[in-house]
Amino acid sequence: MTTKTDFTDEEWARIVRAPLVAGMAISLADPGGPIEAAKESMAALKSATNPPSREQLLADVALEVQAMAQQHQNPLKGYRPTAEGGPPGEQVLAELGAVQGIVSAKASPEEAAAFGRWLVASAQGAADAAKEGGFMGFGAEQVSAREQAMLDQVREAVSAV
């Protein structure tokens, strides 16, 4: 059973923000307006506080995100794609892959797989949160082609480890 104590403070901070970074990937893939961004952010936060399975590691991360949200702290604190780091979407994918690598190195294979599935679920939740395109809701699609492409890349990034 893997817990917070198995990781350094820096590793733990990266692990805690990873479900939200996965949601950010969707917003970067197909930026909508402020309403879409808010819906996607809220969906990622909801996913980050409700892991899809009961592994102790996932529960610890979810409780930490929930505590930070209740204390009005930003779980993404310390993470921001930079202009000189390449395209933001690629930076987000690299971060997700690196965090999955950290988890895979210290957690059981089952926990690592569950964590990867959680990151994909967070991205999927953000993609499903707001319709994209169209005019006043007409002709909009639930998940745009760019969002679907990013979902596929998130899935690949967390399973390639």
Side-chain angles (χ1 to χ4, degrees):
M1 179 171 60
T2 310
T3 63
K4 178 179 179 176
T5 59
D6 294 309
F7 301 96
T8 67
D9 289 343
E10 180 187 343
E11 289 171 336
W12 186 249
R14 291 175 76 184
I15 290 167
V16 166
R17 68 180 173 230
L20 297 164
V21 171
M24 179 192 295
I26 299 305
S27 296
L28 290 171
D30 195 356
I35 293 172
E36 288 88 357
K39 287 180 179 180
E40 290 168 353
S41 295
M42 291 305 295
L45 182 60
K46 181 178 180 183
S47 179
T49 57
N50 295 301
S53 58
R54 298 196 173 268
E55 285 80 5
Q56 185 64 46
L57 175 63
L58 276 61
D60 288 351
V61 171
L63 288 172
E64 182 125 351
V65 171
Q66 188 173 33
M68 292 176 84
Q70 288 174 345
Q71 296 169 8
H72 303 286
Q73 295 176 352
N74 183 0
L76 285 169
K77 180 181 179 186
Y79 180 74
R80 170 177 279 147
T82 61
E84 57 274 349
E90 290 178 15
Q91 291 180 58
V92 166
L93 291 169
E95 175 68 7
L96 293 174
V99 170
Q100 184 66 34
I102 292 167
V103 171
S104 295
K106 296 188 178 186
S108 70
E110 295 80 18
E111 289 172 317
F115 187 78
R117 286 190 302 272
W118 187 20
L119 297 181
V120 172
S122 293
Q124 184 70 56
D128 292 339
K131 290 186 176 184
E132 300 294 329
F135 177 71
M136 296 182 69
F138 297 103
E141 53 192 350
Q142 190 64 46
V143 178
S144 72
R146 291 189 301 207
E147 288 176 334
Q148 186 58 55
M150 182 59 81
L151 279 169
D152 295 341
Q153 291 175 330
V154 167
R155 192 173 286 109
E156 185 179 318
V158 300
S159 65
V161 176

